[in-house]
Amino acid sequence: MSKEVFAEMTLRSLRSALPAYHTEANPKVRQENLTMMRNLLKRLARSLNNLNKMKSTSGLEGESSGKRDPASGFNTESKLRVEEHQKYLCFIDWYAVFLIQELGSTVSYQRHFIALKVLDFLLTDGQGVKYNWDEDVCLGPPPMAPHVLFGNEALNSLLNLIMDPFDDIRELAASILHGLPGSIWSDLSSKVISTLPGTHSTTDLEYISPKEKLCHARGTFLSHTLHRATIKMQETGRADHADGFGQLYDLVLGSHGAWTDDDESIFDQLLSSLEQCTEIARLNVQTAVKTASLHGYLIAARYLVTRFNRYAVEEGHLRKWSGTSLRLLRIASSVWEVVKGILCADAPEGYEVENQDDEVVGTKDLLSFCWRALKESRGSPNSDHVGLLTPGQKTLLCIQQHAWALTRRSAGLPAIVTGILSASPGDGLLDTAIGDLQAIASANSIDSNDENLQLPQVHAFNCLKDIFTDGKFGSFVEQHMSSSLELAARALESDRWAIRNCGLMLMKALITRLNDGTNTNSTKASSSQRRLSTLAYEKHQNLPDLILQLLTVHEMVDTQSVRSAAAGIPETHVLRAQRVFPALEIIEQSGIPEQHRSQIQQAVWNHLEGTAWPIRDKAAKALSYLPARDEIEREMESCLEMPWSTQNALHGRLLYLRYLFARVRWDDSQAIGQVLARILDRFPAMISSNGCPITRASYTTLVGDVLEAAKTDTNSTESPRMIVAPERWQALVEYLSTAFSAGPEATLEDVVKHRCKVLLGSFNDNSDDVDASLDITQTIFAEHGHGAWVPQNPEHADQILKGTADYLAVEAAQARQDQIIPIRQMASCWSRALRLAQEETADTSTRQAAVDSLAVYLARINDVPMQIREAPEMLDLYLTLYDLLNDDDEDVRDTGAAVVSRLRMHDKLLDDDGAEAQIPLIVPAARQKLLEMLKTRYYSSSFLWMESVKRLVCITPPVSSQSPPGRTFSSPTALLERLSQEDVTLFVEEKQNLYIDEAQEACVWQKVLLNSTREAIDVRILQRLFAWAVEGIEALQRMAIEKRPDGPLSWTSKPDIFTLGVRILLAAEALIDLSTNKDLNIDGDKIRGLLFPLSSFGETCCLNPTWLRMITDTLKIT
């Protein structure tokens, strides 16, 4: 690897680009980014070492001793070496600070993951080898780890992540904490220790070694943090809190570096607590759910057993361990006795809590408590159940013996099997287990009445599914893929619903593994992920036959009721879909091998003409991937000419044509016109002679797709109207001119006709057609008060949003002077509809329709008159686009980034000329570019200034709100009181948007606020912001005093409280900055006077380090 020194410009470019790499949502790309980052850091480490050597050999020592050689230019060279070395150190310091900020509580999972991975690498010797801190207590940090990585802010954030909702984040944070030296704990722990009762005095610590002092500091501080974790775990019983509690227990023991008497005592206390909890659960399991978190203590015991096995243990401790082992087994047995009566009911989800009232836990909480406890104890070693000490054949025997107990997750049997096999996946036990499970799963079911039904196959299938979805087994299970695919395919033919259902789940797991771990059903999977190469067929040569087997559907008689029959779905459709969908998914991913093309293609085509709409749609999508790009136009022409026997067959054909057309990036107006001409040649048969509204709507939608492609082609020089036969064009115009409903009662045909009419208007020169289209669109978006009408049917909303964008884009470009005001009014109505469509609670397809609509309209922004382009409605649209770049769905964000990329190329006001403007932007870069444009173009806009205030303080809805923010400021005191209340519910409702970072967004909008000119500022609103910030600082001061000491897992670690504190401090900083303008009448000294005591007190009580850093930076403003 190169040791060449990076140029200063390269380091600046890295500073600019690296943050974007930390936001990558695609797991494959994220892993590639991590590999590149490691290589970059390795090169930086080599270059840094090389600079250090050159410094020492070039005579910096000579300079310091006065030895200089002017003739050789030595002094200049030394100076350059020093400068280069300093630039490297500055870059590494910047990156370290950035990484610490990426560990904040409001940051997304993706950013947490990458930051932790990079941080873990930085704490090595620079080449990936773990640094050995135990060699010397005073050993300095690794060469690539600046001191900031060992500060309070980093430590605080890492300990907070110990209770993160995501497993791998908790594990990474714990791994890094285990590797940190004891010296970093002393500063933070001394502040906490001074506030705690019963700690060692300074005199007590004078007589122990330095290393023992550091171990004591770490242990004392972690014990205090563990106390908070224990309270959280007992109050909520959540899985992440229980695992974090166990991780902290492990950290406390890890502070000693060896198994000591103290560790023995800690472990004994843990087991005593566990025995007490088990006894509570035995007497009253409902009381235990609320007060005795069994699984948390079991997790901690598991971590400590693992640590004991890693340590070199003295003989005395080993002798004690035999008694401890028996104690653990008794506890596991007791746990099983507590939970088996609940979990081994035939339908545990139907278990009802007797005499339930408000004070008693619910059924879901009770089941969760029992399942998690069983999962951690892995059963118990007795004749009723099989646990850790009886693996292998006894586990298989248990599957047979419990064939009647068709419980959810097979009563924990899959967890037992995977737990045993994961101990050593590389040996022969895994192969033997899979073979035995396949034998059980493939056995024929024995006919019996439902009461005595014996189906060990269900347990076997569930075990196999868990094995193939567990990443620990990786390549070890590859050789069993083919046989398992056959097994799952056979299960889908079973007459037993339970076996078919388990076979379907196994098939899904196998397809995911075929696709290298990517869920092909996910909307977040990119098109490249959804299609594998034909290597899948080379690896698994039975795949083509399996696909044919699944596609060849025989009528099956289900002896049990099909679950969806009650919902009105025909049973035959459900049975057919269960078999056909897996085959179609494989075809979407891997295509079809050439030697089997005709057979499989015909089988799929049969389903394209079937009676089930979802199957027709899935078959159409799969078929559309088969033709090569240069074959698509010929395939479309052939498909249009083929006769159809039923309306179902015609509908499937039209769906297939839509998917085919969507595969092509049309950039030739001549080709688009020819496609439209061929489609309209079938107009009489598809519309005039067709009595089915569904197929008429599908045909009209296809026509609309082609017209939309023609409109969005910026290179278009010829209207498709010039290519289509006049009589066909006129027939289409007449069909679209017929009356249709535009209200909530509109049918699907009405909606697609409206969209097509709007699109068609862009190719008509008749002003009467334009005005008629304007009247229809205004009717659809008729205002109700201050809101905007949105259809109740999401599909209708999607079509209308896109159709209106089509209309506005065309009409705004060719508007007459008398039409500008009506168009602006309609644009205002449309922008409010977009705002409703992009809200977090809206359906994903509706949010996608919103960003697609913006793409259509903004693609022609240069053609829009300045009277419309500079109208306030445009700023509203840009803000909506910005919010869509923060959407939770990756596809929506990517589409938004593509819109900004096109704006960058076509909007001359973005000042991006030349080759740089042609480079597509990723989401973070698009967000930054759009913000730069807003700050440059609208710096004097009072609307944007008001918007920045609302977003800084978090007043919702931020855009197009009619109420001034001064009346809707929420009291910071009341907010803090409400947010500080602990939420002890077991199942927390997940945030709708896990991508957006609220604290970071507040910082962004503070900068926008400060960028505004004096003319944009509303002084009355600014005074209200001042009062809000003053009250907020005082509230933070009171809360800090009340809840001291602070530190990890404290009140400031809650994301909502942390974000509120950031908002208050950012507002304070902005107000101090604005106080230099005397016209605004802002008392900056009053804010400084409040921040000084908060800073002083925060230093003594370990207040959130990020807040302290922000206060320090604010007080530096002059």
Side-chain angles (χ1 to χ4, degrees):
M1 186 174 291
S2 174
K3 295 183 182 179
E4 288 186 17
V5 177
F6 285 120
E8 184 179 1
M9 184 177 66
T10 304
L11 293 176
R12 282 201 303 269
S13 298
L14 286 172
R15 276 195 178 200
S16 174
L18 275 176
Y21 281 88
H22 281 253
T23 65
E24 181 56 56
N26 185 314
K28 285 186 175 180
V29 179
R30 190 162 62 236
Q31 199 58 44
E32 293 171 1
N33 289 351
L34 277 172
T35 301
M36 289 190 292
M37 288 178 189
R38 288 194 188 100
N39 291 335
L40 168 67
L41 293 173
K42 285 181 181 180
R43 178 170 171 183
L44 283 170
R46 290 174 184 267
S47 300
L48 193 59
N49 289 335
N50 198 32
L51 282 171
N52 286 332
K53 290 177 182 177
M54 286 190 289
K55 277 176 58 180
S56 61
T57 58
S58 297
L60 279 184
E61 297 84 351
E63 260 195 289
S64 62
S65 61
K67 299 176 183 177
R68 303 181 181 180
D69 183 5
S72 65
F74 164 75
N75 195 35
T76 303
E77 183 180 352
S78 298
K79 185 177 179 181
L80 289 174
R81 295 281 182 259
V82 172
E83 289 176 354
E84 289 177 344
H85 186 263
Q86 191 60 36
K87 288 171 186 174
Y88 262 60
L89 293 179
C90 288
F91 173 79
I92 294 169
D93 285 342
W94 165 83
Y95 196 31
V97 171
F98 170 77
L99 289 174
I100 293 170
Q101 293 171 349
E102 290 291 280
L103 302 180
S105 58
T106 61
V107 172
S108 66
Y109 162 80
Q110 294 88 352
R111 291 164 59 194
H112 273 157
F113 182 82
I114 295 181
L116 288 168
K117 283 285 190 181
V118 176
L119 182 59
D120 189 48
F121 184 84
L122 281 178
L123 295 173
T124 67
D125 65 351
Q127 301 303 317
V129 179
K130 287 291 182 184
Y131 212 57
N132 186 2
W133 299 99
D134 294 329
E135 291 180 357
D136 188 348
V137 173
C138 299
L139 194 65
M144 292 292 289
H147 287 282
V148 68
L149 291 182
F150 308 105
N152 294 352
E153 188 170 358
L155 189 60
N156 198 76
S157 298
L158 286 168
L159 285 168
N160 285 333
L161 290 178
I162 284 286
M163 285 195 166
D164 190 82
F166 294 96
D167 296 354
D168 44 356
I169 300 301
R170 295 196 300 273
E171 291 171 5
L172 281 168
S175 173
I176 292 171
L177 285 166
H178 275 297
L180 293 179
S183 57
I184 72 165
W185 305 88
S186 55
D187 178 50
L188 190 59
S189 62
S190 61
K191 298 175 182 177
V192 176
I193 291 169
S194 63
T195 65
L196 298 177
T199 57
H200 287 285
S201 67
T202 307
T203 307
D204 295 332
L205 298 177
E206 288 178 357
Y207 302 103
I208 61 177
S209 68
K211 187 170 184 178
E212 288 174 323
K213 286 182 181 179
L214 295 178
C215 290
H216 174 266
R218 173 177 174 174
T220 304
F221 177 72
L222 285 175
S223 296
H224 179 63
T225 308
L226 178 61
H227 175 68
R228 286 177 171 164
T230 306
I231 295 173
K232 275 183 178 288
M233 184 259 301
Q234 290 176 339
E235 287 180 341
T236 67
R238 296 173 198 157
D240 50 350
H241 290 173
D243 185 65
F245 167 80
Q247 295 275 16
L248 277 168
Y249 241 113
D250 191 33
L251 276 168
V252 171
L253 263 70
S255 63
H256 301 140
W259 193 267
T260 64
D261 290 336
D262 286 343
D263 295 330
E264 192 79 43
S265 175
I266 292 171
F267 198 13
D268 182 71
Q269 292 172 11
L270 173 66
L271 293 183
S272 297
S273 300
L274 190 48
E275 287 165 341
Q276 291 173 8
C277 292
T278 307
E279 181 62 16
I280 293 172
R282 187 185 66 79
L283 296 174
N284 189 327
V285 70
Q286 295 180 26
T287 302
V289 173
K290 295 186 293 182
T291 62
S293 179
L294 269 177
H295 60 288
Y297 288 104
L298 286 166
I299 290 172
R302 172 162 56 84
Y303 282 131
L304 299 193
V305 170
T306 304
R307 179 161 296 280
F308 178 87
N309 292 334
R310 288 201 303 264
Y311 280 157
V313 184
E314 296 177 359
E315 186 176 347
H317 293 303
L318 282 174
R319 284 197 299 269
K320 293 180 183 177
W321 187 252
S322 59
T324 304
S325 300
L326 291 174
R327 195 175 171 190
L328 274 169
L329 292 173
R330 283 195 298 270
I331 291 171
S333 242
S334 301
V335 171
W336 170 242
E337 291 299 328
V338 168
V339 305
K340 72 176 181 181
I342 298 171
L343 289 183
C344 286
D346 285 350
E349 61 274 15
Y351 181 89
E352 293 294 337
V353 178
E354 297 180 2
N355 303 322
Q356 185 170 351
D357 57 43
D358 292 340
E359 298 299 320
V360 181
V361 296
T363 303
K364 188 164 67 170
D365 293 0
L366 183 61
L367 288 172
S368 174
F369 172 86
C370 295
W371 162 245
R372 287 171 178 169
L374 175 64
K375 177 177 177 291
E376 292 307 326
S377 68
R378 295 283 194 259
S380 63
N382 58 33
S383 59
D384 294 326
H385 200 68
V386 180
L388 286 171
L389 298 184
T390 55
Q393 294 300 320
K394 290 190 178 181
T395 305
L396 299 175
L397 180 62
C398 182
I399 290 176
Q400 297 285 4
Q401 290 175 344
H402 291 76
W404 54 270
L406 302 182
T407 61
R408 180 178 291 175
R409 301 189 185 95
S410 296
L413 284 171
I416 296 171
V417 171
T418 54
I420 293 170
L421 296 177
S422 62
S424 182
D427 60 20
L429 180 60
L430 177 63
D431 297 332
T432 302
I434 291 177
D436 292 340
L437 289 169
Q438 287 178 338
I440 296 174
S442 60
N444 294 326
S445 60
I446 301 173
D447 291 334
S448 63
N449 59 51
D450 288 345
E451 292 182 1
N452 299 314
L453 187 62
Q454 300 281 323
L455 289 178
Q457 298 93 328
V458 169
H459 298 321
F461 273 116
N462 286 339
C463 291
L464 286 169
K465 184 258 297 180
D466 276 23
I467 289 172
F468 282 102
T469 54
D470 197 321
K472 297 185 184 75
F473 300 116
S475 60
F476 299 116
V477 297
E478 278 296 319
Q479 58 181 317
H480 301 286
M481 286 284 293
S482 297
S483 57
S484 298
L485 282 164
E486 289 185 5
L487 179 65
R490 287 198 302 271
L492 294 177
E493 297 179 354
S494 173
D495 59 351
R496 297 286 182 186
W497 176 86
I499 293 179
R500 283 201 312 276
N501 185 54
C502 293
L504 183 61
M505 290 192 292
L506 175 59
M507 180 64 80
K508 288 179 178 178
L510 294 169
I511 290 175
T512 300
R513 185 167 283 278
L514 272 178
N515 199 35
D516 201 17
T518 302
N519 182 1
T520 55
N521 289 326
S522 170
T523 57
K524 298 182 187 297
S526 66
S527 58
S528 60
Q529 287 176 309
R530 293 187 182 118
R531 291 187 54 79
L532 281 177
S533 67
T534 54
L535 288 176
Y537 291 105
E538 296 178 12
K539 284 185 180 179
H540 313 289
Q541 297 187 4
N542 62 339
L543 259 184
D545 293 334
L546 282 174
I547 291 173
L548 275 173
Q549 177 186 338
L550 292 171
L551 291 174
T552 307
V553 177
H554 306 288
E555 295 300 326
M556 295 178 289
V557 179
D558 190 9
T559 58
Q560 297 170 291
S561 62
V562 178
R563 302 304 194 256
S564 58
I569 303 173
E571 295 184 5
T572 54
H573 288 182
V574 176
L575 299 177
R576 186 176 293 115
Q578 286 178 340
R579 288 171 48 80
V580 171
F581 274 29
L584 296 176
E585 284 186 22
I586 296 173
I587 292 172
E588 282 184 45
Q589 296 168 26
S590 306
I592 301 176
E594 194 57 42
Q595 61 270 34
H596 299 86
R597 176 175 289 271
S598 59
Q599 285 179 288
I600 295 178
Q601 202 160 359
Q602 183 57 49
V604 178
W605 197 269
N606 292 338
H607 291 289
L608 191 69
E609 300 179 348
T611 56
W613 187 332
I615 297 179
R616 289 198 301 271
D617 186 78
K618 188 76 172 175
K621 187 177 181 182
L623 272 176
S624 69
Y625 283 116
L626 301 182
R629 167 61 184 87
D630 56 357
E631 299 174 352
I632 288 180
E633 292 182 43
R634 187 167 60 253
E635 176 68 15
M636 290 184 67
E637 185 175 358
S638 172
C639 188
L640 283 166
E641 296 300 325
M642 290 171 60
W644 60 87
S645 55
T646 64
Q647 288 292 340
N648 285 332
L650 174 58
H651 183 246
R653 190 85 50 80
L654 291 168
L655 291 173
Y656 177 46
L657 285 166
R658 284 197 70 196
Y659 280 119
L660 279 175
F661 185 79
R663 272 194 61 200
V664 181
R665 186 178 179 86
W666 298 95
D667 52 8
D668 182 356
S669 57
Q670 180 75 18
I672 297 175
Q674 291 172 354
V675 170
L676 180 62
R678 285 193 289 269
I679 292 173
L680 290 180
D681 283 343
R682 305 294 288 166
F683 185 86
M686 300 286 186
I687 299 294
S688 306
S689 306
N690 186 5
C692 176
I694 297 297
T695 50
R696 288 201 305 266
S698 297
Y699 175 78
T700 307
T701 303
L702 176 61
V703 173
D705 290 346
V706 180
L707 288 173
E708 186 170 353
K711 256 178 44 53
T712 54
D713 176 22
T714 55
N715 299 319
S716 176
T717 57
E718 185 176 13
S719 168
R721 183 178 181 180
M722 306 303 296
I723 301 174
V724 176
E727 63 275 14
R728 297 289 184 239
W729 187 271
Q730 187 59 35
L732 178 63
V733 171
E734 291 175 0
Y735 163 64
L736 296 177
S737 298
T738 56
F740 59 85
S741 173
E745 69 279 4
T747 65
L748 177 61
E749 186 178 12
D750 291 334
V751 173
V752 299
K753 282 175 70 176
H754 167 70
R755 174 196 177 220
C756 203
K757 182 178 178 64
V758 170
L759 287 164
L760 196 69
S762 63
F763 300 105
N764 278 344
D765 298 328
N766 191 329
S767 61
D768 293 336
D769 291 337
V770 171
D771 292 334
S773 186
L774 172 62
D775 292 339
I776 292 171
T777 307
Q778 286 179 322
T779 301
I780 286 177
F781 283 99
E783 293 191 63
H784 297 280
H786 294 301
W789 178 84
V790 173
Q792 294 180 350
N793 186 321
E795 187 171 0
H796 293 185
D798 300 350
Q799 297 285 357
I800 290 174
L801 285 173
K802 293 178 182 177
T804 308
D806 289 325
Y807 170 77
L808 283 172
V810 174
E811 294 314 305
Q814 59 188 30
R816 301 188 305 264
Q817 189 63 33
D818 62 331
Q819 290 179 327
I820 286 180
I821 292 179
I823 288 175
R824 282 186 54 185
Q825 292 172 344
M826 185 169 55
S828 178
C829 238
W830 176 59
S831 71
R832 286 197 290 276
L834 285 177
R835 170 58 46 185
L836 294 175
Q838 69 88 45
E839 286 182 351
E840 293 179 354
T841 53
D843 186 76
T844 304
S845 64
T846 302
R847 303 201 308 273
Q848 184 68 48
V851 73
D852 289 340
S853 303
L854 282 170
V856 170
Y857 182 72
L858 296 177
R860 295 176 179 263
I861 191 66
N862 276 345
D863 300 329
V864 175
M866 294 301 291
Q867 292 170 283
I868 297 177
R869 191 195 301 184
E870 295 184 353
E873 293 82 16
M874 284 303 301
L875 176 55
D876 209 352
L877 294 179
Y878 288 135
L879 290 170
T880 300
L881 177 58
Y882 178 85
D883 289 339
L884 288 164
L885 289 168
N886 275 320
D887 194 89
D888 189 54
D889 187 84
E890 184 182 350
D891 291 338
V892 173
R893 295 197 303 270
D894 289 343
T895 307
V899 174
V900 179
S901 297
R902 285 195 291 273
L903 274 175
R904 188 189 189 198
M905 289 187 286
H906 300 302
D907 191 338
K908 302 301 187 294
L909 295 179
L910 283 177
D911 295 328
D912 275 331
D913 298 325
E916 184 181 349
Q918 306 300 318
I919 301 173
L921 297 170
I922 61 175
V923 174
R927 202 162 49 238
Q928 182 180 357
K929 179 59 67 175
L930 188 57
L931 273 172
E932 289 174 1
M933 184 269 285
L934 292 177
K935 289 193 291 186
T936 303
R937 184 178 297 179
Y938 297 102
Y939 59 87
S940 61
S941 165
S942 58
F943 179 86
L944 182 60
W945 183 85
M946 193 82 73
E947 190 70 21
S948 63
V949 172
K950 292 177 181 179
R951 291 174 183 250
L952 170 61
V953 183
C954 192
I955 297 175
T956 55
V959 177
S960 300
S961 174
Q962 299 300 312
S963 59
R967 297 179 185 172
T968 51
F969 279 139
S970 299
S971 165
T973 305
L975 277 174
L976 267 178
E977 289 293 336
R978 179 171 60 83
L979 295 175
S980 63
Q981 301 298 317
E982 291 294 335
D983 181 5
V984 297
T985 54
L986 176 60
F987 297 98
V988 181
E989 184 177 351
E990 193 176 64
K991 279 179 58 181
Q992 188 72 27
N993 189 336
L994 295 177
Y995 178 81
I996 192 171
D997 182 346
E998 299 287 355
Q1000 187 182 67
E1001 285 300 299
C1003 185
V1004 163
W1005 289 102
Q1006 185 227 38
K1007 291 184 173 69
V1008 176
L1009 183 150
L1010 291 173
N1011 182 72
S1012 299
T1013 61
R1014 170 64 183 86
E1015 293 74 19
I1017 297 175
D1018 186 328
V1019 177
R1020 292 172 301 170
I1021 300 301
L1022 192 63
Q1023 290 296 330
R1024 293 187 181 122
L1025 178 63
F1026 176 83
W1028 183 85
V1030 168
E1031 182 188 346
I1033 298 170
E1034 292 172 342
L1036 291 178
Q1037 175 89 6
R1038 287 192 300 271
M1039 190 71 74
I1041 295 172
E1042 177 187 339
K1043 294 185 177 291
R1044 63 178 175 180
D1046 198 4
L1049 307 183
S1050 65
W1051 64 285
T1052 62
S1053 66
K1054 297 178 69 172
D1056 291 337
I1057 289 183
F1058 173 78
T1059 302
L1060 178 59
V1062 168
R1063 294 184 190 279
I1064 292 170
L1065 296 175
L1066 286 172
E1069 181 185 35
L1071 289 164
I1072 290 177
D1073 190 285
L1074 292 172
S1075 67
T1076 57
N1077 189 331
K1078 302 303 180 182
D1079 294 340
L1080 299 176
N1081 196 26
I1082 297 297
D1083 189 355
D1085 291 335
K1086 181 174 181 178
I1087 294 179
R1088 287 192 186 92
L1090 291 171
L1091 289 177
F1092 271 118
L1094 179 59
S1095 175
S1096 301
F1097 180 78
E1099 288 288 348
T1100 61
C1101 74
C1102 300
L1103 188 66
N1104 188 284
T1106 304
W1107 287 3
L1108 286 176
R1109 174 171 48 80
M1110 293 178 67
I1111 294 171
T1112 302
D1113 292 343
T1114 300
L1115 292 174
K1116 292 177 182 177
I1117 298 176
T1118 58

